Amino acid sequence: ACFRLLCSLLIPALFLSGILCVCLVVLLWGIRLWIQQRKKQLTSTGKDGKRPLLVAFFHPYCNAGGGGERVLWCAIRTLQEKYRNVTCVVYTGDGDVTGEEIVEGAFRRFNIKLTHPVKFVFLEKRYLVEASLYPHFTLLGQSLGSVFLGWEALLKCVPDIYIDSMGYAFTLPLFKYLGCCRIGCYVHYPTISTDMLSVVRNQDTRFNNAAFITNNPLFSKFKLVYYYFFAFMYGLVGSCSDVIMVNSSWTLNHILLLWKAGACTSVVYPPCDVQTFLDIPLEEEKSTAEYSIVSVGQFRPEKDHPLQIRAFAKLLKEKRLGQQPSLKLVLVGGCRNQQDEERVNNLKHLCEELGVSNNVTFRINIPFEELKRHLAEATIGLHTMWNEHFGIGVVECMAAGTVILAHNSGGPKLDIVVPYEGHITGFLAENEDDYAETMAYILSLSPEKRLEIRENARRSVHRFSDQHFEETFLLSVEPLFK
């Protein structure tokens, strides 16, 4: 009797499921046709009677001043110079500025001048990808939010080629299967990585793994299952790409493991304006009355500015420099929103607690020329992010002639602070004591020895130039234009 009951329920259930699947396919097909019709209506022909090729970049924070934005503007400039029939579109959520102000900001911050106008599509739902909206299940929340933001973008402008340049991989299937676009992406940092999985598995406490989770085995197991599920979904959506560009060997290893699309994946080092920094004269230090230590990086939690301040405080406290010349730490970085500003205030409070406020200076959202001046005056360039995906700030410090001290992980370890022609190019450290000791060691070197390291570092950074980026970027995106 039970078997007959199950059979009588199973057959209608299967029939209903089949009908729902067919309805879903028909609905998606209808949406796809509607979007294609909309594309024809929204796209106008050029002066020559031909419709331009629309290349859209999904970059909701395009007015920020980080390395990701430098990649965006260099990529657009490169395409404008190479392809005459291309119109570049940027999907942005920066509704508080005009398109002209965004382009002007790119020139002021990065020294990048575009050869043709850019079309901006302003999105109203950027709040859906803000981490603050999702205190729990942040990765999943932001990813689902990006789908809704991507849908808004698709409705406002349907491109021929879609390039996600900010890491919102969950938008890729939307544009590929509903928008019928050719898909490219530039991955600065995998949304989830095998390193993140190992942090949860080993119950390590970090900025993205709270203590109350690490202290509870049940919570840790649940989070691990959640991470594995998310990693599977992330790999699924990422594999929709026709062209995948990654910014470093570290990112490449993770993306190959997660997306399993090796045939269309390549390393394209981000463009660093090395020539502008190489123009700074490199001379042996004349004065040792004051040493300047400069950090360049956005004020985000993963950059670990507290580690810089604590290591600097330890350096000051232990007085290892004999006569102890005056020391100052200059923190140069961009603030994107109120959260970043609060973070800076917390860092200033930390300086007060450690008694180093008089020796630490904060320079926020400064013009490019001022950044150059700070780097020209610096002896040490400081960088503390664990598993930094690449590290444009590290390259800039090396090109400007500072002795770099970066974290012994990620891009700096694998790609940047590596021996060049057998010679040392900088230093790596892992914790507060390491950083303090290595800074003391660098400052104890003779000016001649420091100059030798600086010269080696400068020679090594040409492979991260704008020109090298342009060549590798065009080579990678070529399949999208065929």
Side-chain angles (χ1 to χ4, degrees):
C2 288
F3 180 73
R4 281 201 302 273
L5 178 64
L6 283 172
C7 286
S8 64
L9 291 173
L10 184 63
I11 292 169
L14 288 173
F15 182 68
L16 187 62
S17 299
I19 289 175
L20 287 173
C21 286
V22 169
C23 288
L24 183 62
V25 169
V26 170
L27 177 65
L28 291 174
W29 187 257
I31 292 171
R32 179 182 163 119
L33 291 175
W34 176 70
I35 287 173
Q36 290 312 298
Q37 193 61 38
R38 188 176 173 82
K39 179 179 181 178
K40 289 174 185 174
Q41 292 169 354
L42 292 175
T43 310
S44 56
T45 55
K47 292 177 182 177
D48 57 358
K50 294 180 181 178
R51 193 178 67 80
L53 194 70
L54 285 183
V55 180
F57 290 83
F58 191 76
H59 209 104
Y61 295 90
C62 75
N63 199 39
E69 287 67 58
R70 190 164 211 288
V71 170
L72 170 70
W73 300 118
C74 273
I76 289 174
R77 182 180 63 184
T78 303
L79 290 180
Q80 287 181 342
E81 290 172 356
K82 169 73 174 177
Y83 299 102
R84 294 192 177 183
N85 67 324
V86 158
T87 296
C88 289
V89 177
V90 177
Y91 297 116
T92 178
D94 295 299
D96 56 341
V97 287
T98 64
E100 290 78 11
E101 287 171 332
I102 292 172
V103 172
E104 174 57 34
F107 177 66
R108 184 168 49 84
R109 289 181 187 132
F110 305 119
N111 203 29
I112 295 171
K113 195 163 184 68
L114 302 179
T115 55
H116 299 291
V118 171
K119 179 183 174 184
F120 289 93
V121 175
F122 291 94
L123 308 175
E124 296 167 13
K125 295 183 176 63
R126 189 177 72 178
Y127 65 89
L128 292 173
V129 296
E130 293 278 357
S132 57
L133 194 63
Y134 312 100
H136 306 292
F137 300 99
T138 311
L139 292 179
L140 188 60
Q142 285 183 291
S143 298
L144 292 175
S146 73
V147 175
F148 287 100
L149 190 63
W151 176 248
E152 182 192 350
L154 187 59
L155 288 183
K156 288 185 173 178
C157 176
V158 187
D160 299 292
I161 296 170
Y162 173 79
I163 299 175
D164 166 41
S165 51
M166 211 177 165
Y168 293 106
F170 281 73
T171 64
L172 301 178
L174 199 65
F175 280 83
K176 179 159 189 170
Y177 298 115
L178 295 183
C180 301
C181 307
R182 280 160 276 171
I183 303 295
C185 58
Y186 189 96
V187 184
H188 298 275
Y189 196 85
T191 305
I192 191 165
S193 66
T194 51
D195 289 333
M196 288 167 69
L197 290 168
S198 67
V199 164
V200 179
R201 195 185 303 111
N202 299 332
Q203 294 180 248
D204 292 340
T205 302
R206 290 186 180 267
F207 77 90
N208 57 354
N209 197 34
F212 79 88
I213 290 176
T214 60
N215 295 333
N216 188 308
L218 185 64
F219 283 176
S220 285
K221 283 185 174 60
F222 179 77
K223 185 168 183 178
L224 191 60
V225 170
Y226 158 57
Y227 266 22
Y228 271 113
F229 167 74
F230 186 85
F232 171 74
M233 294 300 295
Y234 182 61
L236 213 58
V237 297
S239 61
C240 294
S241 306
D242 300 305
V243 164
I244 302 164
M245 294 166 280
V246 297
N247 65 344
S248 69
S249 303
W250 182 86
T251 308
L252 175 70
N253 294 336
H254 287 284
I255 289 298
L256 288 178
L257 205 62
L258 292 162
W259 290 12
K260 296 178 174 59
C264 59
T265 306
S266 57
V267 176
V268 178
Y269 288 131
C272 309
D273 194 6
V274 293
Q275 192 52 55
T276 304
F277 291 103
L278 290 170
D279 291 340
I280 298 171
L282 191 62
E283 300 167 353
E284 191 177 304
E285 303 149 38
K286 294 183 176 65
S287 169
T288 54
E290 181 181 73
Y291 290 117
S292 170
I293 300 165
V294 172
S295 157
V296 180
Q298 285 186 309
F299 289 102
R300 303 205 306 256
E302 63 270 25
K303 297 296 182 183
D304 206 353
H305 288 92
L307 173 57
Q308 299 178 5
I309 293 167
R310 289 196 302 270
F312 179 70
K314 184 161 278 196
L315 176 68
L316 286 179
K317 187 180 178 182
E318 296 188 7
K319 295 182 182 293
R320 306 180 199 179
L321 304 174
Q323 295 182 348
Q324 188 69 24
S326 174
L327 284 175
K328 66 175 180 179
L329 173 64
V330 183
L331 301 178
V332 179
C335 275
R336 303 163 300 171
N337 49 38
Q338 191 179 344
Q339 281 179 307
D340 288 355
E341 288 166 13
E342 287 171 8
R343 208 165 282 121
V344 170
N345 289 331
N346 292 335
L347 292 172
K348 287 178 179 177
H349 290 315
L350 178 62
C351 291
E352 288 170 12
E353 286 172 26
L354 297 173
V356 296
S357 293
N358 294 336
N359 299 79
V360 180
T361 307
F362 290 83
R363 303 300 299 141
I364 299 161
N365 297 334
I366 60 173
F368 186 76
E369 286 305 314
E370 190 179 339
L371 168 65
K372 267 180 74 174
R373 182 170 58 78
H374 282 298
L375 287 176
E377 294 169 356
T379 301
I380 296 174
L382 193 60
H383 187 273
T384 48
M385 179 175 167
W386 171 71
N387 270 343
E388 169 71 90
H389 39 296
F390 178 71
I392 286 181
V394 175
V395 174
E396 289 175 346
C397 287
M398 291 167 73
T402 71
V403 179
I404 191 67
L405 173 56
H407 200 281
N408 188 27
S409 63
K413 178 184 180 180
L414 296 175
D415 293 311
I416 305 172
V417 191
V418 295
Y420 182 72
E421 295 179 352
H423 301 291
I424 187 171
T425 58
F427 298 88
L428 299 167
E430 289 187 28
N431 54 46
E432 192 179 311
D433 290 335
D434 277 354
Y435 274 98
E437 287 170 15
T438 311
M439 282 190 282
Y441 173 72
I442 293 168
L443 295 171
S444 72
L445 294 171
S446 66
E448 295 83 13
K449 182 62 181 172
R450 278 200 294 268
L451 180 63
E452 185 185 319
I453 295 169
R454 293 157 68 204
E455 286 173 340
N456 294 338
R458 273 199 156 183
R459 281 195 294 270
S460 75
V461 297
H462 285 287
R463 62 212 160 102
F464 307 122
S465 65
D466 283 4
Q467 185 183 354
H468 190 262
F469 168 81
E470 288 168 9
E471 290 167 2
T472 52
F473 177 76
L474 286 175
L475 204 61
S476 297
V477 298
E478 194 177 351
L480 298 176
F481 291 85
K482 285 180 178 175

